[in-house]
């Protein structure tokens, strides 16, 4: 497997054509009541807005109807990352309360974390979670995160499962009754601070039915960081510094995807995380070699997709890098008109919301 960690930390010059687009060009008005607070039950009962680029037409469906739009030979690419119970509550030696959010694993017991309040967490500060888990602040990053070293009595992952909680996005205010509903049914590899939410709509039965149609499923990995929710602050989008995330494409997935590209079959990405992985790893002809590394790819209009042909995605925050990525596939004006239609039709938005299929 090729290590792409150096060459694949991509900047906007490498992957976004020159543009004068502004952050405000991706704003739309969203009533707060349309921000989904709880997941749909069952998973595949969420709504699905289908947009056909060839005919410029829209259909309103239920997610399990996605089968109507798939065909034998398609490749469905899913991100099998698993969300860590990454939110910890600790206290200082003087009893001060500190919230710790795991962002990125550096080594076995060294992590980059977000702490709140930060003023209590200078280098050298020791924080105690419980009698078996504590951490010491080693340094502060340029962007204000902390690098910490954990001390653990026993296996770290087991301690995390015992005391950690699921880090739901800031716009979700209701407590999640079942922690597994913020995991995809195919989640496998621990490492994300947020779920690849387009995958939350799939059930095991739906995936089996899709496979039975002759659709191939390729599993790739991208660990989702909290940078996903970090707002774009700069008005000129080319001034935005994209967060970096770790990805892997194994030999089996690379072969499935590359064979499809050579044979002219569709590659359908489930979620923006799958898009970022595929477009980071792809050669100019859309084929992929097994690889891993870090990517800070920022996709916005205009952009030529090398690998991804179609996209299953949720509805994203106004002025976010995610809506910019989706706009790169259909155009800025079209994505805003589709989002405004979704608002009018009262679709549910964001992580636990409804889905869109762009074909």
């Amino acid at each position: 497997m090729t290590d792409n960690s150096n060459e694949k930390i991509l900047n906007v010059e490498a992957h976004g054509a020159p543009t004068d687009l502004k952050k405000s060009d991706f704003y739309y008005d969203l009533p707060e009541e349309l921000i989904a607070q709880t997941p749909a039950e069952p998973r595949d009962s969420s709504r699905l807005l289908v947009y056909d680029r060839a005919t410029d037409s829209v259909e309103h469906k239920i997610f399990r109807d996605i089968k109507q739009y798939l065909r034998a030979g398609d490749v469905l690419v899913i991100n099998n990352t698993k969300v860590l119970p990454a939110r910890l509550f600790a206290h200082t030696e003087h009893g001060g309360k500190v919230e710790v959010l795991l962002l990125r694993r550096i080594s076995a017991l060294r992590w980059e974390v977000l702490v709140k309040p930060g003023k209590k967490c200078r280098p050298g500060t020791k924080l105690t979670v419980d009698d078996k888990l504590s951490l010491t602040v080693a340094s502060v990053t340029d962007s204000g995160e902390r690098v910490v070293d954990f001390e653990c009595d026993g296996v770290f992952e087991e301690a995390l499962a015992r005391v950690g909680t699921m880090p739901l996005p800031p716009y979700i205010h209701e407590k999640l009754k079942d922690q597994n509903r913020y995991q995809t049914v195919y989640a496998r590899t621990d490492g994300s601070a947020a779920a690849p939410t387009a995958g939350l709509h799939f059930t095991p039965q739906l995936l089996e039915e899709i496979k039975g149609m002759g659709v191939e499923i390729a599993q790739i990995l991208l660990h989702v960081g909290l940078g996903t929710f970090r707002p774009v602050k700069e008005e000129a989008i080319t001034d935005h510094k994209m967060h970096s995330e770790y990805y892997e494409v194994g030999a089996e997935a690379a072969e499935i995807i590359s064979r499809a590209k050579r044979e002219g079959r569709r590659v359908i990405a489930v979620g923006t995380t799958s898009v970022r992985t595929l477009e980071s790893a792809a050669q100019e002809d859309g084929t992929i070699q097994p690889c891993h590394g870090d990517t800070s790819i920022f996709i916005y209009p205009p952009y030529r997709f090398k690998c991804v042909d179609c996209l299953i995605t949720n509805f994203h925050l106004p002025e976010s890098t995610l809506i910019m990525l989706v706009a790169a596939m259909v155009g800025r004006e079209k994505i805003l008109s589709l989002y405004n239609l979704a608002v009018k039709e009262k679709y549910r938005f964001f992580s636990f919301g409804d889905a869109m299929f762009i074909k």
Side-chain angles (χ1 to χ4, degrees):
M1 186 181 289
T2 305
D3 182 350
N4 282 353
S5 53
N6 290 323
E7 66 183 272
K8 290 299 181 187
I9 296 185
L10 301 167
N11 57 30
V12 290
E13 285 75 28
H15 267 257
T19 182
D20 58 359
L21 285 172
K22 305 282 189 259
K23 175 180 74 169
S24 53
D25 291 330
F26 296 90
Y27 178 79
Y28 66 94
D29 192 32
L30 179 68
E32 194 170 338
E33 63 267 21
L34 295 184
I35 300 174
Q37 295 297 312
T38 55
E41 288 295 347
R43 289 173 182 260
D44 61 359
S45 66
S46 49
R47 295 169 71 193
L48 178 69
L49 188 155
V50 181
Y51 175 61
D52 187 329
R53 288 175 290 175
T55 60
D56 190 29
S57 60
V58 172
E59 293 178 273
H60 301 289
K61 297 286 185 175
I62 301 300
F63 190 80
R64 64 179 71 96
D65 297 332
I66 192 74
K67 292 182 296 181
Q68 298 175 15
Y69 303 95
L70 303 178
R71 52 181 183 252
D74 285 344
V75 174
L76 197 67
V77 182
I78 59 177
N79 178 7
N80 65 19
T81 190
K82 191 172 185 179
V83 185
L84 290 163
R87 179 171 275 124
L88 300 169
F89 297 95
H91 58 84
T92 66
E93 292 166 318
H94 304 295
K97 293 180 180 178
V98 177
E99 184 179 333
V100 180
L101 196 58
L102 306 186
L103 296 180
R104 184 173 64 89
R105 194 174 210 153
I106 298 169
S107 61
L109 291 173
R110 174 165 277 210
W111 283 78
E112 184 179 313
V113 304
L114 206 59
V115 293
K116 193 166 68 174
K119 62 181 183 238
K120 294 180 180 176
C121 300
R122 296 184 177 88
T125 302
K126 183 171 181 177
L127 302 172
T128 301
V129 179
D130 67 1
D131 58 352
K132 293 186 177 180
L133 187 65
S134 62
L135 58 146
T136 303
V137 179
S139 62
V140 182
T141 70
D142 291 342
S143 51
E145 286 86 12
R146 268 55 174 180
V147 174
V148 303
D149 294 310
F150 280 95
E151 293 176 44
C152 182
D153 181 5
V155 179
F156 178 75
E157 285 74 17
E158 291 176 2
L160 203 57
R162 186 182 72 252
V163 298
T165 60
M166 206 60 83
L168 292 178
Y171 46 74
I172 293 177
H173 309 300
E174 289 199 25
K175 191 170 182 181
L176 186 61
K177 293 175 184 173
D178 178 3
Q179 299 293 299
N180 284 325
R181 287 301 275 107
Y182 195 56
Q183 302 279 17
T184 61
V185 296
Y186 45 77
R188 191 170 70 189
T189 308
D190 282 329
S192 276
T197 53
L200 295 177
H201 306 283
F202 287 95
T203 64
Q205 181 182 348
L206 180 57
L207 285 167
E208 285 304 312
E209 290 171 0
I210 287 169
K211 281 190 217 171
M213 295 168 54
V215 174
E216 291 187 274
I217 295 180
Q219 298 197 31
I220 52 91
L221 173 73
L222 182 135
H223 286 322
V224 188
L226 279 190
T228 294
F229 303 111
R230 195 165 279 159
V232 176
K233 293 178 180 174
E234 297 79 5
E235 183 57 19
I237 64 171
T238 49
D239 292 338
H240 176 67
K241 188 179 188 304
M242 196 68 175
H243 58 285
S244 179
E245 294 170 320
Y246 177 78
Y247 73 94
E248 288 180 8
V249 181
E252 182 181 356
E255 172 57 28
I256 290 170
I257 295 161
S258 295
R259 191 168 62 243
K261 295 308 291 185
R262 286 192 292 267
E263 295 174 2
R265 292 183 280 119
R266 297 191 302 179
V267 172
I268 301 167
V270 178
T272 57
T273 63
S274 294
V275 174
R276 296 184 72 230
T277 303
L278 293 171
E279 293 299 309
S280 295
Q283 310 297 314
E284 282 303 311
D285 63 356
T287 61
I288 291 176
Q289 297 295 317
C291 58
H292 65 91
D294 294 293
T295 180
S296 55
I297 188 171
F298 183 11
I299 297 174
Y300 55 81
Y303 178 81
R304 183 184 68 82
F305 287 88
K306 301 191 295 289
C307 184
V308 177
D309 298 302
C310 308
L311 173 63
I312 297 169
T313 186
N314 280 21
F315 294 95
H316 303 292
L317 277 77
E319 302 184 338
S320 65
T321 61
L322 302 179
I323 192 174
M324 293 172 191
L325 182 152
V326 182
M329 185 161 271
V330 300
R332 185 191 70 84
E333 291 183 3
K334 176 52 68 175
I335 201 62
L336 290 177
S337 72
L338 290 171
Y339 270 51
N340 287 328
L341 174 63
V343 168
K344 181 183 173 187
E345 296 291 330
K346 294 190 167 17
Y347 276 74
R348 299 165 81 236
F349 280 64
F350 305 165
S351 296
F352 286 144
D354 296 316
M356 175 189 288
F357 180 45
I358 299 170
K359 64 190 283 277

